[in-house]
Amino acid sequence: MITASSRSRSSRSRHAVVIGAGIAGLAAARALSETFDQVTVVERDHLPATPVPRPGVPQGRHAHGLAARGRQVLETLFPGIGRELEAEGAPTADFCRQARLHLPAGVPRPIPSQVVIQPVSRPLLETILRRRVAAIPGVRIIDGCAVTGLRAGTREITGVRITRRAVAKAGRDTATIAADLIADAGGRSSHLPGWLTAIGLPRPGERVADAHVGYASRTYHTEPGVTADWRALFELPRAPHLTRGCSVLRIEDHLLLVTLQGAAGDHPPGDQDGFERFAKSLACDLTGIVGPLRPAGGVSRYARSAAHRRLYHRLRPWPDGLIVLGDSACTFNPLYAQGMTVALLEAQALRDLLDGTRRRDLRGFSAAFQRHVGRITFWPWMLSSLADRAWTETSPLVRAAHRYLSSYQDLAVEDATVFHNLARVTNLLAHPATFVQPYHLARVLHSQLRTASRRLGAHPGTNQRNGTSGPPTSRG
Ligand SMILES: Cc1cc2nc3c(=O)[nH]c(=O)nc-3n(C[C@H](O)[C@H](O)[C@H](O)COP(=O)(O)OP(=O)(O)OC[C@H]3O[C@@H](n4cnc5c(N)ncnc54)[C@H](O)[C@@H]3O)c2cc1C
């Protein structure tokens, strides 16, 4: 067994193991490759050579919008990747000019902005990242191989236990891979809490927020050469009454990826008729958009969308040799399209932090990195879990904050400054505190006063289109 004292990192080559070849795992491998001599990515799926969905990432069939901040970080970790995606048929788009945002109060007028997104399918993004990572000297991706637990030394994690699926089925071979650092990027289905307790460490605390969101997606062929005035279209549900929304992306291969979203249990059906009925009930004329198009496949559904924030950054003692990032540490309600960007920010932090420890040993590094993850996930979690809690909670604080954010969204329809800032915050380019800067605060308070006085003059019982009274409903 390797002990802390025998692990002098300067005298021999260093090895890192990454669990999972999703977005977080591939980005982490890229970050680790700058400091470690060898990086092994262990993935339980058999990885396809072409961009097709795979079982370990069932969300890959649904719209995966990479926020503008994520695109920037991706470019710093993988220079030139934006051009590579463009060459594959997925060009960039200005979020405020080429994405159509259907808010409950209307559609903001397009404005030019520096908020740049790049609509692409999740399988294509992952395939290109995988190709890039596999080409880095010292990096190896082992697929078809699941991690089943951790190997622990006296004070640190020293490796992972693996089971080659096919062999394990026959009840035979299990093995371990020794490493100086293990990064768990196993995603939503990570078993790390159980693995920790199995070696005598405590389980992390956990926060959960569940807006009971369900997804249904289908792709359609569009006509090559026919230009549209938008490359992405988003209609947002809003608690407590507007349960339905959609994300529609023009992705590679002239495909239109349509993802229907239903919150508070109002899930889109998986059959063709139900899918079309749900689409018809939206405000954005989705039926008019897809009506003339030929479907490229059937309908796929997804409903395991509860958000979890695991408080690894507070766990004491935190062992050396182990870090956690991506969905394994914090999953978000997918409606807010934050997960990939947060994972990339964590990988960037990993690279920067390792850069500072290049010639020292790694004692204390894991705990320090986990504190970074705690800080990176804090605001995205606060914003998204607040919106999630608004579906079920009636506490004055949640209601007041939700009312403020709803008014802010409504204002974006008429105020270009507010629209621009809303786009920057939702794309993780600006801090949510900008929502309450003096100009923005004054605009929201003024609009709330205006709405209140209008309501005082309105007929009692009038159903408000902006979703502030009446029973839960779609827009149908
Ligand atoms: C329906 C849906 C829609 C979403 N839409 C968006 C969006 O629009 N924008 C956005 O930014 N994010 C979105 N997300 C979130 C996004 O998918 C994740 O945040 C992002 O992929 C980062 O995840 P990850 O790499 O940590 O995990 P994953 O991408 O889930 O990858 C985990 C990998 O680990 C592997 N693995 C798991 N356990 C083991 C094991 N024991 N051994 C070996 N390998 C293992 C899995 O097979 C998988 O390959 C969405 C999520 C869902 C569910």
Side-chain angles (χ1 to χ4, degrees):
M1 193 174 284
I2 302 167
T3 63
S5 56
S6 68
R7 291 159 68 94
S8 164
R9 268 89 181 176
S10 52
S11 58
R12 61 177 176 82
S13 75
R14 301 202 293 183
H15 181 211
V17 164
V18 179
I19 304 169
I23 302 296
L26 294 171
R30 169 74 188 90
L32 291 164
S33 70
E34 292 192 6
T35 308
F36 285 78
D37 307 287
Q38 285 177 54
V39 178
T40 306
V41 182
V42 182
E43 167 57 51
R44 66 181 172 189
D45 271 0
H46 292 282
L47 295 169
T50 53
V52 290
R54 58 188 179 88
V57 182
Q59 72 269 34
R61 295 178 182 277
H62 304 276
H64 256 66
L66 179 61
R69 179 77 181 280
R71 202 191 72 86
Q72 287 178 354
V73 176
L74 195 66
E75 194 64 38
T76 64
L77 289 171
F78 300 93
I81 192 156
R83 276 201 310 279
E84 211 171 322
L85 287 169
E86 186 150 2
E88 297 279 351
T92 57
D94 182 327
F95 185 87
C96 294
R97 204 164 50 80
Q98 292 164 295
R100 196 190 283 174
L101 195 58
H102 279 259
L103 298 167
V107 180
R109 230 193 330 270
I111 52 168
S113 72
Q114 299 298 317
V115 182
V116 181
I117 57 170
Q118 195 156 17
V120 59
S121 75
R122 163 74 191 242
L124 178 60
L125 178 61
E126 217 184 88
T127 303
I128 290 184
L129 284 182
R130 210 157 57 226
R131 209 187 290 154
R132 283 285 197 104
V133 169
I136 301 171
V139 177
R140 192 162 64 120
I141 301 177
I142 306 178
D143 67 349
C145 177
V147 171
T148 55
L150 301 173
R151 195 178 76 168
T154 47
R155 295 176 29 193
E156 59 192 349
I157 307 301
T158 59
V160 293
R161 300 183 195 287
I162 56 160
T163 305
R164 276 197 183 271
R165 256 204 206 152
V167 188
K169 254 189 212 156
R172 283 188 276 128
D173 184 30
T174 60
T176 58
I177 304 178
D180 300 277
L181 187 70
I182 290 105
D184 179 36
R188 275 175 189 254
S189 60
S190 160
H191 295 292
L192 187 59
W195 295 344
L196 289 176
T197 53
I199 56 170
L201 288 166
R203 278 182 91 85
E206 190 168 15
R207 303 275 182 269
V208 180
D210 195 353
H212 299 280
V213 173
Y215 272 47
S217 296
R218 193 169 203 193
T219 46
Y220 296 83
H221 294 285
T222 64
E223 287 301 317
V226 174
T227 52
D229 59 352
W230 54 269
R231 293 197 31 82
L233 181 155
F234 306 105
E235 180 167 334
L236 305 182
R238 179 188 289 172
H241 304 306
L242 297 178
T243 52
R244 298 185 175 189
C246 66
S247 292
V248 183
L249 303 178
R250 290 184 191 281
I251 56 170
E252 68 277 2
D253 296 332
H254 308 290
L255 291 171
L256 189 74
L257 172 54
V258 176
T259 293
L260 305 179
Q261 303 143 343
D266 180 20
H267 295 179
D271 63 289
Q272 185 176 323
D273 287 351
F275 188 87
E276 285 170 7
R277 265 198 315 279
F278 193 102
K280 209 171 185 174
S281 71
L282 298 172
C284 62
D285 187 27
L286 193 49
T287 309
I289 295 165
V290 298
L293 305 180
R294 190 166 48 89
V299 178
S300 306
R301 299 180 80 202
Y302 188 97
R304 220 183 120 218
S305 60
H308 296 256
R309 186 168 187 244
R310 292 185 174 134
L311 309 177
Y312 289 115
H313 53 286
R314 293 198 197 152
L315 202 65
R316 301 285 181 278
W318 184 254
D320 278 336
L322 176 69
I323 58 172
V324 193
L325 73 167
D327 279 16
S328 182
C330 188
T331 62
F332 303 93
N333 179 338
L335 281 181
Y336 312 117
Q338 303 177 115
M340 292 192 293
T341 296
V342 167
L344 291 164
L345 285 166
E346 291 163 352
Q348 189 181 43
L350 178 61
R351 185 175 78 167
D352 294 348
L353 209 59
L354 278 171
D355 206 30
T357 57
R358 199 176 283 268
R359 272 174 291 276
R360 298 202 309 269
D361 77 26
L362 289 171
R363 261 170 291 184
F365 172 81
S366 302
F369 175 71
Q370 241 31 75
R371 286 194 293 275
H372 273 268
V373 171
R375 281 195 287 274
I376 290 168
T377 53
F378 180 78
W379 275 111
W381 174 261
M382 286 299 277
L383 264 192
S384 62
S385 64
L386 175 74
D388 288 347
R389 286 163 64 189
W391 291 101
T392 50
E393 258 188 50
T394 51
S395 79
L397 187 69
V398 170
R399 278 172 55 183
H402 180 64
R403 206 175 312 126
Y404 187 93
L405 291 177
S406 301
S407 303
Y408 197 81
Q409 272 190 356
D410 290 345
L411 263 178
V413 174
E414 57 184 68
D415 186 319
T417 306
V418 169
F419 176 36
H420 189 234
N421 194 53
L422 179 68
R424 282 176 51 77
V425 174
T426 50
N427 277 277
L428 287 92
L429 290 170
H431 197 280
T434 52
F435 284 158
V436 291
Q437 280 174 350
Y439 171 85
H440 301 268
L441 183 65
R443 292 287 286 128
V444 170
L445 294 181
H446 179 257
S447 99
Q448 286 186 338
L449 278 174
R450 205 175 50 186
T451 310
S453 63
R454 250 195 241 135
R455 237 186 249 137
L456 280 176
H459 189 272
T462 302
N463 196 11
Q464 302 290 319
R465 181 72 174 75
N466 67 4
T468 50
S469 69
T473 176
S474 72
R475 296 170 179 85

